[in-house]
């Protein structure tokens, strides 16, 4: 396997971009979600229990415990963390010197701190995935940036540290767990839409925040939808074991299949930074030989191939063809694919039963764990071999210490991850080594390993449920309160908000799936609208003109449940059709006994007013000034502005070229050594298998 220096750099840059989007998106919503006048004030989540400082920090790991020392309340501390996280991630994205272990440790700690007070609005799978991947980025990031202008002693080209590939292997293992589990749970859930291969005939219409492309995808032929479901099962269940294939082209084929799936999801749905994060994970399937070399010569000279290498290449090709044939046969056999040449369609159906699939899952779950263990063992042996090649006793001792630390951490994280991975198969979960369960239990609150299962069940099979809020001054004439992003007005096209996640809009989608009592925060939302709290109103409409009660809060608020469907082709000026179903939340006003009872039942009443903090604090004034400057902008505009800023700076860097110090410029203009001397030096240098990973210094 070729080196992974360039993929690791790409991974770290991608993680910086995802952290930047996540922090910036969260920052724009903090006052309305967690402020003193927000839906779920963050100050309620951090109450000292009389425990020691370090015990309190371990049980609830958040830096926001220290916010009072800065004269900030919890929400202001969260704003400060989000701003610093955005700036630090932006710096790591632009400056290679900041892609350091400490930088990613701070980013991970800041996001973990936010999740501890985020409550239901930060309980999404991609938040857990970002925390787990962020911790892996801490291990992948270098302890120090290698000096590009220095050459290794004795004319050797500096190679990678022996331990560098171990943490990066965990990224590949995480990608496998994410995709394989996401495919398996679609079938273990017994969802009739997935088993009937009709899930995509509902998905584009019923997902949380569709895009304009979702409307067009929804109206594709049914046979194509079913074929795409078959392809989804292939990519998520059959392809992930190829992440550990010994044949490089199989790993690259797996990479491109995952990229294709994520790109299609990005086009047809607003899933914030989740798909971008998954794309970042796929970098673990790449190697230096596949990525264009940024330094040195990208073309490698062709050397005559010996017959053992030619035989090995032929066997690899045969294995590759056998795998492709097996995948094609499996698709045709297990999903009954038949081509109808007369009608130009492909018929498909599931040919296996739930019992058969359950038995298959019970059979393969443990072997997939052993597959991961075998792949990890190979990485450990490779790292050990690289350590034996280190020259010098001091360098060898330092490399041995690093290899011991990172090797132990890699094995421990692998053992911990087996516990949540085995949740999808109960019998395998129960037979796991008890030591793995103890390790997982000790660090579970840090979210170092999580279980995943995206799109487990398809909702809205009879129409997309949607909650519509209404306000009134007299209780007779009602006006709808339209959100910026979620469906409401049937004439408004679906927006494009990626990579922003409007967390209130997302929770409104979940609330519509059941009664309002299953979403206690909804009662608090109604209360804030009756009170006319501006931070909450900005979550619904960023500009006052778009909110119908911006001059005076409504006297009454209620909510209705509708069912929405995409409009049919030919219906001019309409994207949706809708039908009233039932009342979701009864009409209430301030002081209404029903409202007070619900607030008491859910523990949402303000028992004590927030502590007044001095607004003369310099840090508080700075936070207020930044908020005032950014508040007129919508969140997607801010995130796209950050993206354009990064792109503009990168273009300028590419046009201007890397800056070189005067000494380097003098060396560049020195006469080159004679060809025979250069060839002798090259011949005398020992052969280093890692030499292609780090370009030679220019003379």
């Amino acid at each position: 396997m070729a080196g992974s220096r360039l993929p690791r750099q790409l991974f770290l840059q991608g993680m910086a971009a995802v952290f930047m989007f996540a922090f910036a998106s969260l920052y724009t919503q903090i006052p309305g979600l967690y402020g003193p006048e927000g839906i779920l004030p963050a100050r309620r989540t951090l109450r000292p229990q009389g425990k020691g400082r370090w015990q309190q920090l371990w049980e609830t790991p958040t830096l926001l415990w220290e916010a009072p020392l800065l004269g900030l309340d919890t929400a202001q501390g969260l704003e400060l963390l989000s701003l610093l996280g955005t700036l630090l991630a932006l710096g790591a994205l632009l400056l290679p010197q900041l892609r350091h272990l400490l930088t990613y440790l701070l980013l991970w700690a800041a996001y973990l701190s936010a999740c501890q007070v985020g409550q239901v609005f930060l309980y999404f799978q991609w938040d857990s995935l970002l925390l787990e991947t962020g911790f892996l980025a801490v291990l992948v990031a270098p302890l120090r940036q290698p000096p590009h202008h220095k050459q290794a002693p004795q004319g050797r080209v500096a190679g990678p540290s022996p331990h560098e590939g171990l943490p990066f292997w965990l990224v590949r293992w995480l990608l496998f767990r994410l995709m394989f589990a996401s495919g398996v749970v679609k079938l273990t859930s017994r969802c009739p839409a997935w088993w009937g291969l009709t899930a995509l005939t509902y998905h584009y219409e019923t997902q949380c925040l569709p895009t304009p492309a979702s409307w067009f995808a929804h109206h594709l032929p049914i046979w194509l939808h079913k074929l795409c479901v078959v392809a989804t099962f292939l990519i998520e269940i059959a392809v992930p074991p190829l992440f550990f294939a010994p044949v490089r082209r199989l790993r690259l084929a797996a990479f491109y299949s995952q990229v294709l799936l994520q790109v299609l999801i990005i086009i047809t749905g607003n899933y914030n930074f989740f798909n971008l994060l998954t794309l970042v994970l796929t970098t673990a399937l790449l190697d230096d030989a596949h990525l264009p070399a940024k330094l040195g010569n990208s073309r490698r000279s062709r050397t005559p191939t010996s017959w053992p290498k030619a035989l090995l290449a032929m066997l690899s090709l045969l294995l590759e063809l056998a795998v492709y044939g097996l995948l094609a046969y499996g698709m045709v056999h297990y999903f009954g694919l038949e081509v109808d040449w007369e009608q130009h369609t492909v018929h498909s159906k599931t040919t296996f039963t739930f019992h058969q699939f359950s038995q298959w899952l019970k059979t393969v779950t443990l072997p997939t764990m052993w597959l991961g263990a075998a792949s990890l063992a190979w990485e450990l042996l490779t790292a050990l071999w690289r350590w034996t090649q280190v020259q010098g006793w001091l360098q060898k001792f330092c490399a041995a210490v690093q290899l011991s630390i990172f090797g132990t951490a890699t094995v421990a994280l692998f053992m911990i991850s087996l516990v949540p991975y085995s949740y999808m198969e109960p019998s395998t979960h129960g037979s796991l080594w008890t030591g793995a369960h103890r390790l997982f239990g000790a660090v579970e609150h840090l979210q170092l390993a999580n279980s995943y299962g995206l799109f487990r069940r398809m909702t809205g099979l009879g129409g997309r449920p949607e909650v519509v809020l209404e306000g009134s001054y007299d209780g007779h004439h009602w006006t709808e309160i339209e959100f910026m992003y979620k469906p409401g007005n049937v004439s408004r096209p679906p927006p494009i908000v990626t990579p922003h996640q409007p967390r209130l809009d997302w929770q409104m989608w979940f609330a519509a799936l059941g009664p309002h009592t299953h979403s206690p925060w909804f009662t608090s939302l109604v209360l804030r609208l009756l009170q006319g709290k501006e931070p909450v109103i900005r979550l619904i409409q960023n500009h006052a003109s778009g909110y119908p009660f911006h001059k005076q809060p409504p006297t009454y608020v209620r909510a209705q449940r509708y069912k929405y469907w995409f409009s049919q082709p030919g219906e001019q000026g309409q994207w949706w059709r809708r039908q009233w179903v039932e009342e979701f939340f009864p009409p209430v006003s301030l002081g209404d006994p029903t409202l007070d009872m619900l607030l008491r039942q859910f523990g949402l009443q303000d028992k004590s007013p927030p502590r007044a903090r001095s607004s003369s604090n310099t840090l508080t004034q700075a936070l207020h000034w930044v908020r005032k400057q950014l508040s007129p902008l919508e969140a997607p505009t801010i995130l796209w502005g950050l993206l354009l800023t990064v792109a503009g700076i990168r273009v300028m860097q590419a046009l201007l070229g890397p800056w070189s110090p005067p000494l380097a410029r003098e060396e560049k203009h020195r006469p080159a050594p004679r060809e025979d001397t250069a060839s002798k030096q090259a011949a005398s240098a020992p052969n280093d298998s890692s030499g292609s990973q780090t370009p030679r210094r220019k003379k």
Side-chain angles (χ1 to χ4, degrees):
M1 182 175 180
S4 60
R5 182 178 61 87
L6 293 177
R8 289 199 306 272
Q9 293 178 1
L10 192 60
F11 169 75
L12 293 176
Q13 293 181 61
M15 284 304 302
V18 173
F19 268 123
M20 180 184 70
F21 291 139
F23 279 118
S25 175
L26 179 61
Y27 171 78
T28 63
Q29 305 172 76
I30 290 173
L33 295 179
Y34 306 118
E37 298 179 341
I39 299 174
L40 296 176
R43 61 184 174 84
R44 299 174 182 169
T45 61
L46 294 182
R47 299 187 184 276
Q49 303 294 330
K51 299 178 180 178
R53 185 176 184 179
W54 294 108
Q55 183 182 1
Q56 182 176 261
L57 184 62
W58 173 253
E59 294 180 356
T60 308
T62 174
L63 300 174
L64 296 175
W65 286 114
E66 310 302 324
L69 298 179
L70 301 175
L72 306 176
D73 61 26
T74 306
Q76 291 171 332
L78 187 56
E79 285 192 36
L80 179 61
L81 273 183
S82 299
L83 279 175
L84 293 179
T86 302
L87 294 176
L88 186 59
L90 177 62
L93 186 57
L94 295 174
L95 302 174
Q97 295 83 357
L98 286 180
R99 293 174 207 144
H100 186 273
L101 181 148
L102 181 59
T103 299
Y104 290 93
L105 180 60
L106 292 173
L107 291 172
W108 173 79
Y111 204 75
L112 178 64
S113 299
C115 288
Q116 296 300 312
V117 301
Q119 304 167 83
V120 69
F121 294 108
L122 276 169
Y123 283 174
F124 295 97
Q125 288 196 51
W126 36 83
D127 293 313
S128 299
L129 181 63
L130 179 55
L131 284 175
E132 184 171 352
T133 314
F135 189 78
L136 296 185
V138 175
L139 300 179
V140 173
L143 293 169
R144 61 182 179 86
Q145 291 294 337
H148 296 286
H149 62 282
K150 292 184 179 180
Q151 193 174 13
Q154 298 180 0
R156 292 174 62 91
V157 177
S161 300
H163 72 274
E164 288 182 354
L166 294 177
F168 199 49
W169 177 89
L170 286 172
V171 177
R172 200 189 327 168
W173 172 246
L174 172 57
L175 177 65
F176 170 80
R177 287 165 41 218
L178 172 67
M179 301 310 300
F180 188 73
S182 296
V184 164
V185 298
K186 293 177 175 59
L187 295 174
T188 57
S189 67
R190 301 196 184 195
C191 175
W194 286 115
W195 277 91
L197 306 181
T198 59
L200 292 184
T201 62
Y202 306 102
H203 165 72
Y204 302 112
E205 181 179 70
T206 62
Q207 62 183 317
C208 179
L209 296 178
T211 65
S214 304
W215 187 91
F216 296 96
H218 177 73
H219 292 293
L220 292 173
I222 294 180
W223 69 266
L224 185 57
H225 283 305
K226 299 178 73 173
L227 189 61
C228 288
V229 172
V230 174
T232 301
F233 285 134
L234 174 71
I235 294 174
E236 292 187 344
I237 298 179
V239 170
L242 299 182
F243 297 169
F244 309 104
V247 179
R248 177 172 171 268
R249 284 196 298 261
L250 288 175
R251 296 193 300 273
L252 293 178
F255 165 78
Y256 284 109
S257 68
Q258 303 302 318
V259 169
L260 174 64
L261 177 63
Q262 299 307 318
V263 169
L264 291 176
I265 295 176
I266 291 174
I267 293 173
T268 58
N270 287 293
Y271 288 96
N272 50 81
F273 58 80
F274 163 64
N275 303 110
L276 300 176
L277 179 55
T278 308
L279 287 173
V280 171
L281 290 175
T282 61
T283 57
L285 302 177
L286 298 175
D287 53 46
D288 290 341
H290 190 66
L291 294 175
K294 296 183 180 180
L295 299 172
N297 295 326
S298 59
R299 295 181 180 179
R300 291 174 296 177
S301 59
R302 294 181 175 271
T303 56
T305 304
S306 60
W307 71 265
K309 291 185 177 180
L311 178 61
L312 184 60
M314 180 61 66
L315 293 177
S316 299
L317 178 60
L318 293 176
L319 177 60
E320 186 180 355
L321 295 176
V323 169
Y324 295 148
L326 187 62
L327 292 176
Y329 171 79
M331 286 182 61
V332 173
H333 177 73
Y334 290 106
F335 294 100
L337 298 184
E338 294 181 3
V339 179
D340 188 336
W341 298 105
E342 295 182 358
Q343 300 191 11
H344 304 286
T345 61
V346 178
H347 300 292
S348 56
K349 62 180 180 179
T350 307
T351 61
F352 53 92
T353 65
F354 176 79
H355 175 73
Q356 290 173 328
F357 180 77
S358 299
Q359 291 299 317
W360 175 85
L361 182 61
K362 185 182 297 186
T363 303
V364 304
T365 302
L366 191 59
T368 57
M369 295 181 183
W370 284 111
L371 174 64
S375 179
L376 176 57
W378 176 258
E379 292 291 334
L380 289 169
L381 290 175
T382 303
L384 188 61
W385 179 84
R386 286 175 177 169
W387 174 77
T388 62
Q389 306 304 306
V390 176
Q391 302 294 325
W393 68 269
L394 182 58
Q395 290 83 353
K396 201 158 193 170
F397 175 76
C398 293
V401 172
Q402 293 179 358
L403 181 58
S404 301
I405 295 174
F406 284 90
T408 302
T410 301
V411 173
L413 287 173
F414 173 71
M415 294 294 297
I416 291 170
S417 70
L418 295 179
V419 177
Y421 171 68
S422 63
Y423 285 160
M424 62 184 180
E425 211 294 295
S427 62
T428 304
H429 177 74
S431 62
L432 274 182
W433 178 48
T434 56
H437 287 279
R438 288 196 296 269
L439 278 174
F440 176 74
V443 297
E444 184 177 5
H445 63 295
L446 299 178
Q447 300 192 50
L448 301 183
N450 305 280
S451 61
Y452 303 100
L454 300 163
F455 306 108
R456 185 186 302 266
R457 296 188 65 87
M458 197 54 56
T459 59
L461 301 187
R464 172 198 181 94
E466 198 67 59
V467 172
V468 176
L469 280 163
E470 296 176 340
S472 172
Y473 290 120
D474 57 10
H476 299 287
H477 302 87
W478 295 88
T479 303
E480 291 189 8
I481 299 174
E482 187 175 353
F483 283 65
M484 285 185 289
Y485 308 116
K486 82 179 193 70
N489 187 344
V490 295
S491 300
R492 191 189 64 177
I496 299 177
V497 300
T498 301
H500 172 57
Q501 182 184 3
R503 294 181 180 269
L504 177 58
D505 295 63
W506 267 87
Q507 285 299 336
M508 289 289 290
W509 181 80
F510 282 106
L513 302 178
H516 72 85
T517 53
H518 290 178
S519 304
W521 59 266
F522 190 85
T523 303
S524 182
L525 171 64
V526 171
L527 173 65
R528 297 309 190 196
L529 294 180
L530 289 169
Q531 295 172 339
K533 298 301 183 182
E534 182 184 357
V536 176
I537 293 173
R538 282 189 173 274
L539 294 176
I540 297 175
Q541 286 291 339
N542 195 61
H543 301 290
S545 59
Y547 185 68
F549 302 98
H550 63 276
K551 294 183 179 180
Q552 180 183 349
T555 307
Y556 301 93
V557 170
R558 71 180 185 184
Q560 307 286 351
R561 195 197 313 264
Y562 286 82
K563 283 195 174 181
Y564 277 64
W565 297 270
F566 271 138
S567 62
Q568 295 297 321
E571 296 183 28
Q572 298 295 329
Q574 283 198 337
W575 288 82
W576 298 95
R577 294 178 293 113
R578 76 176 188 178
Q579 178 183 346
W580 181 84
V581 177
E582 61 183 349
E583 184 180 73
F584 179 77
F585 194 90
V588 294
S589 60
L590 289 176
D592 188 288
T594 301
L595 179 61
D596 292 340
M597 182 268 294
L598 289 172
L599 291 173
R600 286 195 305 270
Q601 178 182 344
F602 299 134
L604 296 173
Q605 282 186 321
D606 287 327
K607 299 179 181 179
S608 59
R611 297 177 182 176
R613 297 194 179 273
S614 174
S615 59
S616 61
N617 185 339
T618 305
L619 190 54
T620 303
Q621 291 179 343
L623 290 173
H624 178 72
W625 182 85
V626 173
R627 175 69 61 184
K628 185 178 180 180
Q629 303 305 310
L630 296 178
S631 58
L633 301 175
E634 292 187 11
T637 303
I638 295 176
L639 269 64
W640 295 336
L642 286 171
L643 182 61
L644 290 176
T645 300
V646 172
I649 294 176
R650 285 295 181 88
V651 170
M652 292 298 295
Q653 289 176 340
L655 292 177
L656 297 177
W659 179 85
S660 57
L663 179 60
R665 288 197 295 265
E666 290 178 7
E667 290 184 356
K668 183 177 180 180
H669 292 289
R670 287 179 183 174
R674 291 182 300 175
E675 183 179 357
D676 57 345
T677 307
S679 59
K680 288 180 181 179
Q681 291 177 349
S684 61
N687 184 20
D688 191 350
S689 60
S690 61
S692 60
Q693 299 173 11
T694 306
R696 285 190 172 91
R697 178 173 65 95
K698 291 184 178 180
K699 295 289 185 183

